[in-house]
Amino acid sequence: VLFRSSALVEALLALPSAQRRAVVLRHWLGLTVAETARELGISEGTVKSNSSRGLAALQAVLEPREA
């Protein structure tokens, strides 16, 4: 479990800051899209885009596909 947590933190830190903030607020702290948008001062659509891209990047790093 510690390894996974460490890998997750490292992967989060590697994300662009906009993606990292959206992912942390939405999926770690559990804020809604609207709450996250208000907190970050961006549109709900931007929250969704940044969240989606950030989650995809995390998945690519944490769950590599087999060739």
Side-chain angles (χ1 to χ4, degrees):
V1 173
L2 182 58
F3 170 76
R4 287 293 278 172
S5 296
S6 176
L8 175 59
V9 170
E10 286 182 30
L12 279 167
L13 291 173
L15 292 176
S17 64
Q19 291 177 12
R20 182 175 53 253
R21 290 188 307 239
V23 168
V24 168
L25 291 176
R26 286 277 298 125
H27 302 285
W28 197 325
L29 299 179
L31 272 61
T32 66
V33 171
E35 291 168 335
T36 302
R38 265 194 311 276
E39 184 69 27
L40 297 176
I42 59 177
S43 73
E44 291 184 20
T46 302
V47 169
K48 292 177 185 178
S49 294
N50 286 340
S51 264
S52 178
R53 290 180 181 135
L55 289 175
L58 290 175
Q59 184 177 19
V61 169
L62 298 172
E63 297 179 6
R65 296 181 184 179
E66 294 184 24

